[in-house]
Amino acid sequence: MNPLQAIGWRWTPPTLDPAWAALMAAHPDARPARITEQHRSGYAVSEAIDVAHRAESLPEWQRAGSYRKGEINPESRPAVGDWVLVEGEAPNALRIVALLPRFSAIKRGAAGEHYKQQVIAANIDTVFVVCGLDADFNPRRIERYLMLVGGSGVQPVIVLTKADKDSADVEAALHELRAFGTPVLALNAKDRDSASALAPWLGEGQSIVLVGSSGAGKSTLTNTLLGSERMKTGAVRESDDRGRHTTTHRALIALPSGTCMIDTPGMRELKPTGEEVVAESFADIEALAAQCKFNDCKHLREPGCAVRAAIESGEVDAQRVANFLKLSGEVAGAANTLAVRLAQKSGPRPQGKPQSRRINNEHDG
Ligand SMILES: Nc1nc2c(ncn2[C@@H]2O[C@H](COP(=O)(O)OP(=O)(O)OP(=O)(O)O)[C@@H](O)[C@H]2O)c(=O)[nH]1
Ligand SMILES: [Zn+2]
């Protein structure tokens, strides 16, 4: 097997994106590799599972000033999961010479003053939104994740863990979540047969990520899919009493099925970029809204509101509608911040504002 296949490469010349083929033709001495880490000063790339090396990147991806001058959008820098072309030999002479265009990208609104958004994981096929059928069960949080990955090009799948627990009301949960229009499964993350329900998304050459709150069962599920105890789970952690963050970090994990799982810390801190289309992950509400009397209906107390009527008749959950309105407000807020930032960037620099201040926070960790 081509060692790249274990880290998600699945293309052959006939299935290769023409843009990729063109870049490869332009760099005949280069070969593909995948980004596993992105740092302030450079990158780590992998050409086979469990091996990653530092690689020198193009100068325009390094200079902080390039962002400020608007020469390079941070989104056009490689991120974890990106395929790049490299030249030279590891460990000391690897150089990235080109970024291959990504087919999907999970982004988040960036904390920095300058850039609008940051790519957290690129070239992912499926994101499993993991939620336990215990006290962790929270449809509103699931809706938030679905909204954040909506429009990324990544297929979301809801995975409800802890279905084996006596207290789990599996049928009620499945019934509620099926209305979301996203595939949903309930399983026991500790059990291999149960976890095999994920097989349709775990084909060879697929790339996946798991998101979900602490304790949802992500490490447990990963271990079960791996078939061995490779990640430390909550249980281990409790006994060593060192709190969180004991999970050994490994960016690309090869599952026996030939799927590449990407584990990147940024996935834990998703927040809106302002470019999300909330309605996309609320298709049921969007369909109702199309029937409201006023086409700018806010679904609050307008007459002829089909959304309110559907709440009354029990067709749609009032909390789901409330969350839709809340998330729409958050995205609108983020979009506003984004617009202000872009305007400041293109307009003249405010008087008396020191240049150096503007460079702060430009980097991700
Ligand atoms: N009975 C049962 N227990 C589960 C299941 N999934 C996870 N658990 C337990 O729930 C606890 C937390 O699971 P983890 O896999 O550590 O959760 P996590 O999502 O990786 O948490 P973080 O690493 O903090 O993000 C552990 O004690 C697991 O054994 C399940 O499907 N059934
Ligand atoms: Zn309405």
Side-chain angles (χ1 to χ4, degrees):
M1 183 169 101
N2 174 347
L4 286 180
Q5 262 172 274
I7 57 170
W9 184 268
R10 59 170 178 271
W11 301 278
T12 52
T15 61
L16 198 62
D17 181 306
W20 289 24
L23 278 164
M24 287 168 149
H27 298 278
D29 298 329
R31 56 195 194 272
R34 198 165 199 185
I35 303 284
T36 63
E37 288 169 43
Q38 180 186 11
H39 299 292
R40 184 183 280 253
S41 56
Y43 292 90
V45 300
S46 179
E47 299 181 67
I49 202 69
D50 286 345
V51 194
H53 294 286
R54 284 193 57 84
E56 193 184 307
S57 72
L58 294 178
E60 61 263 36
W61 293 337
Q62 294 170 350
R63 282 202 316 269
S66 321
Y67 298 142
R68 199 176 56 247
K69 295 186 214 112
E71 286 164 20
I72 183 159
N73 182 327
E75 282 173 74
S76 29
R77 294 177 77 200
V80 174
D82 264 321
W83 288 99
V84 293
L85 294 179
V86 296
E87 286 179 7
E89 294 310 315
N92 298 318
L94 267 178
R95 291 187 314 282
I96 303 174
V97 297
L99 168 64
L100 298 173
R102 40 183 86 109
F103 60 80
S104 72
I106 298 178
K107 299 173 189 175
R108 71 168 173 210
E113 196 182 336
H114 274 281
Y115 52 72
K116 43 178 195 166
Q117 53 194 38
Q118 198 180 4
V119 176
I120 299 174
N123 301 320
I124 307 295
D125 297 288
T126 307
V127 54
F128 292 110
V129 177
V130 183
C131 185
L133 285 166
D134 53 4
D136 179 53
F137 183 65
N138 184 341
R140 307 290 81 83
R141 193 188 315 121
I142 295 173
E143 287 168 340
R144 163 176 286 270
Y145 279 121
L146 294 178
M147 183 273 287
L148 290 168
V149 300
S152 63
V154 181
Q155 162 75 55
V157 174
I158 304 167
V159 178
L160 303 175
T161 57
K162 311 187 192 184
D164 55 300
K165 293 208 164 182
D166 289 341
S167 53
D169 192 346
V170 180
E171 283 318 310
L174 287 175
H175 177 78
E176 178 173 3
L177 300 192
R178 278 189 190 120
F180 294 9
T182 297
V184 50
L185 315 110
L187 49 79
N188 174 359
K190 295 177 166 183
D191 182 78
R192 195 190 285 231
D193 283 345
S194 184
S196 70
L198 301 180
W201 297 279
L202 302 181
E204 221 168 82
Q206 295 287 297
S207 291
I208 63 162
V209 293
L210 304 185
V211 296
S213 51
S214 183
K218 299 179 297 296
S219 309
T220 305
L221 187 58
T222 304
N223 287 334
T224 303
L225 295 175
L226 277 168
S228 66
E229 191 70 12
R230 290 232 337 234
M231 291 192 96
K232 292 183 180 172
T233 60
V236 174
R237 211 174 289 150
E238 281 156 28
S239 61
D240 74 5
D241 210 35
R242 274 191 284 153
R244 293 205 200 168
H245 307 304
T246 51
T247 307
T248 341
H249 184 65
R250 194 188 295 269
L252 307 183
I253 300 167
L255 301 182
S257 64
T259 297
C260 177
M261 183 188 282
I262 300 194
D263 182 18
T264 174
M267 292 299 302
R268 288 163 195 263
E269 303 143 29
L270 291 178
K271 61 176 182 172
T273 60
E275 290 188 344
E276 290 83 2
V277 181
V278 181
E280 231 171 64
S281 48
F282 287 86
D284 49 346
I285 297 179
E286 198 56 9
L288 289 166
Q291 296 162 37
C292 292
K293 183 172 169 196
F294 301 109
N295 58 13
D296 62 346
C297 186
K298 301 277 182 293
H299 324 303
L300 296 172
R301 49 192 78 73
E302 293 91 335
C305 175
V307 175
R308 305 292 341 159
I311 294 174
E312 302 278 297
S313 72
E315 191 191 328
V316 64
D317 186 341
Q319 290 182 14
R320 177 164 168 79
V321 173
N323 201 35
F324 167 77
L325 297 174
K326 176 171 179 261
L327 294 174
S328 302
E330 271 183 47
V331 169
N336 204 23
T337 310
L338 180 63
V340 169
R341 254 185 232 173
L342 291 178
Q344 285 172 343
K345 205 167 172 179
S346 55
R349 198 155 49 85
Q351 289 290 317
K353 192 175 181 189
Q355 183 88 12
S356 60
R357 236 205 93 221
R358 311 191 79 201
I359 317 178
N360 292 341
N361 288 328
E362 278 199 335
H363 292 280
D364 40 86

